[in-house]
Short mmCIF file of all heavy atoms in Angstrom, two decimals:
data_model
loop_
_atom_site.label_atom_id
_atom_site.label_comp_id
_atom_site.label_asym_id
_atom_site.label_seq_id
_atom_site.Cartn_x
_atom_site.Cartn_y
_atom_site.Cartn_z
N LEU V 396 -2.65 -79.64 -50.56
CA LEU V 396 -3.74 -79.15 -49.71
C LEU V 396 -3.61 -79.61 -48.26
O LEU V 396 -4.29 -79.13 -47.40
CB LEU V 396 -5.09 -79.61 -50.29
CG LEU V 396 -5.33 -79.16 -51.73
CD1 LEU V 396 -6.71 -79.60 -52.21
CD2 LEU V 396 -5.22 -77.64 -51.86
N GLU V 397 -2.71 -80.56 -48.04
CA GLU V 397 -2.42 -81.07 -46.70
C GLU V 397 -3.68 -81.48 -45.93
O GLU V 397 -4.11 -80.78 -45.01
CB GLU V 397 -1.63 -80.03 -45.91
CG GLU V 397 -0.75 -80.72 -44.87
CD GLU V 397 0.26 -79.75 -44.27
OE1 GLU V 397 1.04 -79.21 -45.06
OE2 GLU V 397 0.20 -79.55 -43.06
N PRO V 398 -4.24 -82.62 -46.29
CA PRO V 398 -5.45 -83.06 -45.58
C PRO V 398 -5.13 -83.62 -44.20
O PRO V 398 -4.10 -84.27 -44.02
CB PRO V 398 -5.99 -84.18 -46.49
CG PRO V 398 -4.80 -84.69 -47.21
CD PRO V 398 -3.84 -83.55 -47.36
N VAL V 399 -6.00 -83.33 -43.25
CA VAL V 399 -5.94 -84.02 -41.95
C VAL V 399 -7.33 -84.60 -41.71
O VAL V 399 -8.33 -83.98 -42.06
CB VAL V 399 -5.53 -83.10 -40.79
CG1 VAL V 399 -4.08 -82.71 -40.91
CG2 VAL V 399 -6.41 -81.89 -40.72
N ILE V 400 -7.34 -85.80 -41.12
CA ILE V 400 -8.61 -86.52 -41.03
C ILE V 400 -8.89 -86.94 -39.60
O ILE V 400 -8.00 -87.42 -38.90
CB ILE V 400 -8.56 -87.75 -41.97
CG1 ILE V 400 -8.45 -87.27 -43.42
CG2 ILE V 400 -9.80 -88.63 -41.76
CD1 ILE V 400 -8.43 -88.37 -44.45
N GLY V 401 -10.13 -86.71 -39.19
CA GLY V 401 -10.55 -87.17 -37.88
C GLY V 401 -11.71 -88.14 -38.04
O GLY V 401 -12.59 -87.91 -38.86
N VAL V 402 -11.68 -89.23 -37.26
CA VAL V 402 -12.71 -90.26 -37.40
C VAL V 402 -13.31 -90.57 -36.03
O VAL V 402 -12.58 -90.72 -35.05
CB VAL V 402 -12.12 -91.56 -38.00
CG1 VAL V 402 -13.21 -92.58 -38.25
CG2 VAL V 402 -11.35 -91.26 -39.28
N ALA V 403 -14.65 -90.65 -35.98
CA ALA V 403 -15.30 -91.08 -34.74
C ALA V 403 -16.49 -91.98 -35.10
O ALA V 403 -17.01 -91.87 -36.21
CB ALA V 403 -15.78 -89.87 -33.95
N ALA V 404 -16.87 -92.86 -34.18
CA ALA V 404 -17.92 -93.82 -34.49
C ALA V 404 -19.05 -93.79 -33.47
O ALA V 404 -18.84 -93.50 -32.29
CB ALA V 404 -17.32 -95.22 -34.56
N TYR V 405 -20.27 -94.06 -33.99
CA TYR V 405 -21.46 -94.20 -33.14
C TYR V 405 -21.82 -95.68 -33.13
O TYR V 405 -21.79 -96.30 -34.18
CB TYR V 405 -22.61 -93.39 -33.73
CG TYR V 405 -23.96 -93.67 -33.11
CD1 TYR V 405 -24.46 -92.86 -32.09
CD2 TYR V 405 -24.72 -94.77 -33.53
CE1 TYR V 405 -25.70 -93.14 -31.53
CE2 TYR V 405 -25.94 -95.05 -32.95
CZ TYR V 405 -26.44 -94.24 -31.94
OH TYR V 405 -27.64 -94.51 -31.38
N PRO V 406 -22.16 -96.30 -32.07
CA PRO V 406 -22.22 -95.75 -30.71
C PRO V 406 -20.92 -95.96 -29.95
O PRO V 406 -20.84 -95.63 -28.77
CB PRO V 406 -23.34 -96.58 -30.09
CG PRO V 406 -23.27 -97.90 -30.78
CD PRO V 406 -22.72 -97.66 -32.15
N GLN V 407 -19.89 -96.49 -30.63
CA GLN V 407 -18.64 -96.83 -29.95
C GLN V 407 -18.06 -95.62 -29.20
O GLN V 407 -17.72 -95.72 -28.03
CB GLN V 407 -17.65 -97.33 -30.99
CG GLN V 407 -16.34 -97.80 -30.41
CD GLN V 407 -15.39 -98.15 -31.56
OE1 GLN V 407 -15.68 -99.04 -32.34
NE2 GLN V 407 -14.28 -97.44 -31.64
N ASP V 408 -17.97 -94.46 -29.90
CA ASP V 408 -17.36 -93.29 -29.26
C ASP V 408 -18.43 -92.30 -28.77
O ASP V 408 -18.32 -91.75 -27.69
CB ASP V 408 -16.47 -92.54 -30.27
CG ASP V 408 -15.41 -93.45 -30.86
OD1 ASP V 408 -14.88 -94.30 -30.11
OD2 ASP V 408 -15.13 -93.33 -32.06
N ALA V 409 -19.44 -92.08 -29.62
CA ALA V 409 -20.40 -91.03 -29.33
C ALA V 409 -21.80 -91.61 -29.22
O ALA V 409 -22.11 -92.61 -29.85
CB ALA V 409 -20.37 -89.99 -30.44
N GLY V 410 -22.65 -90.95 -28.41
CA GLY V 410 -24.01 -91.44 -28.21
C GLY V 410 -25.04 -90.66 -29.00
O GLY V 410 -26.22 -90.98 -28.98
N SER V 411 -24.61 -89.59 -29.71
CA SER V 411 -25.57 -88.78 -30.46
C SER V 411 -24.85 -88.18 -31.67
O SER V 411 -23.61 -88.21 -31.74
CB SER V 411 -26.11 -87.65 -29.59
OG SER V 411 -25.06 -86.73 -29.34
N VAL V 412 -25.65 -87.63 -32.56
CA VAL V 412 -25.05 -87.03 -33.77
C VAL V 412 -24.16 -85.85 -33.38
O VAL V 412 -23.03 -85.71 -33.87
CB VAL V 412 -26.16 -86.57 -34.74
CG1 VAL V 412 -25.58 -85.74 -35.87
CG2 VAL V 412 -26.90 -87.77 -35.30
N ASN V 413 -24.65 -85.02 -32.47
CA ASN V 413 -23.85 -83.86 -32.05
C ASN V 413 -22.51 -84.28 -31.48
O ASN V 413 -21.47 -83.71 -31.79
CB ASN V 413 -24.60 -83.06 -30.99
CG ASN V 413 -25.55 -82.07 -31.64
OD1 ASN V 413 -25.43 -81.84 -32.86
ND2 ASN V 413 -26.47 -81.55 -30.87
N GLU V 414 -22.57 -85.31 -30.65
CA GLU V 414 -21.33 -85.76 -30.03
C GLU V 414 -20.40 -86.37 -31.07
O GLU V 414 -19.18 -86.17 -31.04
CB GLU V 414 -21.66 -86.78 -28.94
CG GLU V 414 -20.57 -86.84 -27.88
CD GLU V 414 -20.86 -87.88 -26.81
OE1 GLU V 414 -22.00 -88.41 -26.77
OE2 GLU V 414 -19.93 -88.21 -26.04
N LEU V 415 -21.02 -87.08 -32.02
CA LEU V 415 -20.23 -87.70 -33.08
C LEU V 415 -19.49 -86.62 -33.87
O LEU V 415 -18.29 -86.74 -34.16
CB LEU V 415 -21.17 -88.48 -34.01
CG LEU V 415 -20.54 -89.42 -35.03
CD1 LEU V 415 -19.71 -90.48 -34.36
CD2 LEU V 415 -21.63 -90.08 -35.89
N MET V 416 -20.20 -85.54 -34.18
CA MET V 416 -19.59 -84.43 -34.92
C MET V 416 -18.44 -83.84 -34.08
O MET V 416 -17.36 -83.55 -34.60
CB MET V 416 -20.61 -83.33 -35.20
CG MET V 416 -21.68 -83.66 -36.21
SD MET V 416 -21.11 -83.79 -37.90
CE MET V 416 -21.19 -82.16 -38.50
N ARG V 417 -18.73 -83.65 -32.83
CA ARG V 417 -17.74 -83.01 -31.95
C ARG V 417 -16.48 -83.88 -31.84
O ARG V 417 -15.35 -83.39 -31.94
CB ARG V 417 -18.36 -82.78 -30.57
CG ARG V 417 -17.61 -81.80 -29.69
CD ARG V 417 -18.41 -81.50 -28.44
NE ARG V 417 -18.67 -82.71 -27.64
CZ ARG V 417 -17.80 -83.22 -26.78
NH1 ARG V 417 -16.63 -82.67 -26.60
NH2 ARG V 417 -18.11 -84.32 -26.10
N LEU V 418 -16.70 -85.18 -31.64
CA LEU V 418 -15.55 -86.07 -31.44
C LEU V 418 -14.72 -86.22 -32.72
O LEU V 418 -13.49 -86.26 -32.66
CB LEU V 418 -16.01 -87.43 -30.93
CG LEU V 418 -16.65 -87.41 -29.54
CD1 LEU V 418 -16.95 -88.83 -29.06
CD2 LEU V 418 -15.75 -86.70 -28.52
N ALA V 419 -15.41 -86.29 -33.86
CA ALA V 419 -14.66 -86.39 -35.13
C ALA V 419 -13.85 -85.12 -35.32
O ALA V 419 -12.72 -85.14 -35.82
CB ALA V 419 -15.62 -86.61 -36.29
N ASP V 420 -14.45 -83.99 -34.91
CA ASP V 420 -13.77 -82.71 -35.02
C ASP V 420 -12.52 -82.68 -34.13
O ASP V 420 -11.44 -82.24 -34.54
CB ASP V 420 -14.75 -81.61 -34.59
CG ASP V 420 -14.41 -80.30 -35.23
OD1 ASP V 420 -14.14 -80.31 -36.46
OD2 ASP V 420 -14.42 -79.27 -34.53
N ILE V 421 -12.69 -83.17 -32.91
CA ILE V 421 -11.54 -83.22 -31.99
C ILE V 421 -10.46 -84.14 -32.54
O ILE V 421 -9.27 -83.82 -32.54
CB ILE V 421 -12.00 -83.70 -30.58
CG1 ILE V 421 -12.85 -82.60 -29.95
CG2 ILE V 421 -10.81 -84.04 -29.72
CD1 ILE V 421 -13.58 -83.05 -28.70
N ALA V 422 -10.91 -85.29 -33.07
CA ALA V 422 -9.96 -86.25 -33.65
C ALA V 422 -9.18 -85.57 -34.77
O ALA V 422 -7.97 -85.76 -34.91
CB ALA V 422 -10.70 -87.47 -34.17
N LYS V 423 -9.88 -84.76 -35.54
CA LYS V 423 -9.24 -84.06 -36.66
C LYS V 423 -8.21 -83.06 -36.12
O LYS V 423 -7.11 -82.96 -36.66
CB LYS V 423 -10.34 -83.34 -37.44
CG LYS V 423 -9.89 -82.71 -38.71
CD LYS V 423 -11.00 -81.82 -39.23
CE LYS V 423 -11.15 -80.62 -38.32
NZ LYS V 423 -12.44 -80.01 -38.34
N HIS V 424 -8.54 -82.37 -35.05
CA HIS V 424 -7.57 -81.46 -34.44
C HIS V 424 -6.37 -82.22 -33.91
O HIS V 424 -5.24 -81.74 -33.96
CB HIS V 424 -8.22 -80.65 -33.31
CG HIS V 424 -8.97 -79.48 -33.83
ND1 HIS V 424 -10.34 -79.46 -33.93
CD2 HIS V 424 -8.53 -78.30 -34.33
CE1 HIS V 424 -10.72 -78.31 -34.46
NE2 HIS V 424 -9.63 -77.59 -34.71
N ARG V 425 -6.66 -83.39 -33.41
CA ARG V 425 -5.57 -84.22 -32.90
C ARG V 425 -4.65 -84.59 -34.05
O ARG V 425 -3.43 -84.61 -33.91
CB ARG V 425 -6.12 -85.49 -32.25
CG ARG V 425 -6.77 -85.28 -30.92
CD ARG V 425 -5.74 -84.98 -29.83
NE ARG V 425 -4.73 -86.02 -29.77
CZ ARG V 425 -3.41 -85.80 -29.81
NH1 ARG V 425 -2.95 -84.57 -29.92
NH2 ARG V 425 -2.55 -86.80 -29.74
N ALA V 426 -5.27 -84.90 -35.20
CA ALA V 426 -4.47 -85.26 -36.37
C ALA V 426 -3.55 -84.11 -36.73
O ALA V 426 -2.39 -84.29 -37.03
CB ALA V 426 -5.38 -85.59 -37.55
N ARG V 427 -4.07 -82.92 -36.58
CA ARG V 427 -3.29 -81.73 -36.85
C ARG V 427 -2.10 -81.65 -35.90
O ARG V 427 -0.98 -81.37 -36.29
CB ARG V 427 -4.19 -80.53 -36.56
CG ARG V 427 -4.18 -79.51 -37.60
CD ARG V 427 -5.22 -78.50 -37.27
NE ARG V 427 -6.20 -78.40 -38.33
CZ ARG V 427 -7.38 -77.83 -38.21
NH1 ARG V 427 -7.76 -77.38 -37.04
NH2 ARG V 427 -8.17 -77.75 -39.23
N GLY V 428 -2.41 -81.89 -34.64
CA GLY V 428 -1.39 -81.69 -33.62
C GLY V 428 -0.47 -82.89 -33.47
O GLY V 428 0.57 -82.80 -32.82
N ASP V 429 -0.87 -84.02 -34.02
CA ASP V 429 -0.11 -85.24 -33.80
C ASP V 429 1.28 -85.17 -34.42
O ASP V 429 2.14 -85.93 -34.05
CB ASP V 429 -0.86 -86.44 -34.40
CG ASP V 429 -1.55 -87.22 -33.30
OD1 ASP V 429 -1.49 -86.74 -32.15
OD2 ASP V 429 -2.12 -88.27 -33.57
N GLY V 430 1.46 -84.30 -35.36
CA GLY V 430 2.76 -84.15 -35.99
C GLY V 430 3.15 -85.42 -36.71
O GLY V 430 3.81 -86.30 -36.16
N GLY V 431 2.70 -85.58 -37.93
CA GLY V 431 3.13 -86.74 -38.71
C GLY V 431 2.03 -87.75 -38.91
O GLY V 431 2.03 -88.46 -39.89
N GLU V 432 1.03 -87.81 -38.00
CA GLU V 432 -0.05 -88.78 -38.19
C GLU V 432 -1.28 -88.03 -38.68
O GLU V 432 -2.02 -87.44 -37.90
CB GLU V 432 -0.34 -89.50 -36.87
CG GLU V 432 -1.25 -90.69 -37.02
CD GLU V 432 -0.77 -91.65 -38.11
OE1 GLU V 432 0.03 -92.55 -37.82
OE2 GLU V 432 -1.21 -91.49 -39.27
N PRO V 433 -1.52 -88.05 -40.01
CA PRO V 433 -2.55 -87.17 -40.56
C PRO V 433 -3.97 -87.70 -40.42
O PRO V 433 -4.92 -86.99 -40.65
CB PRO V 433 -2.17 -87.09 -42.04
CG PRO V 433 -1.49 -88.39 -42.31
CD PRO V 433 -0.84 -88.83 -41.05
N VAL V 434 -4.11 -88.98 -40.01
CA VAL V 434 -5.45 -89.52 -39.80
C VAL V 434 -5.56 -89.91 -38.33
O VAL V 434 -4.73 -90.66 -37.82
CB VAL V 434 -5.70 -90.77 -40.68
CG1 VAL V 434 -7.11 -91.29 -40.48
CG2 VAL V 434 -5.46 -90.43 -42.16
#
Side-chain angles (χ1 to χ4, degrees):
L396 303 182
E397 208 168 301
V399 290
I400 296 182
V402 185
Y405 168 96
Q407 184 185 299
D408 304 322
S411 69
V412 170
N413 275 346
E414 205 182 348
L415 191 60
M416 290 290 273
R417 196 172 60 83
L418 295 186
D420 206 45
I421 290 169
K423 187 191 70 204
H424 278 103
R425 287 288 305 128
R427 227 173 239 164
D429 258 5
E432 191 51 88
V434 182

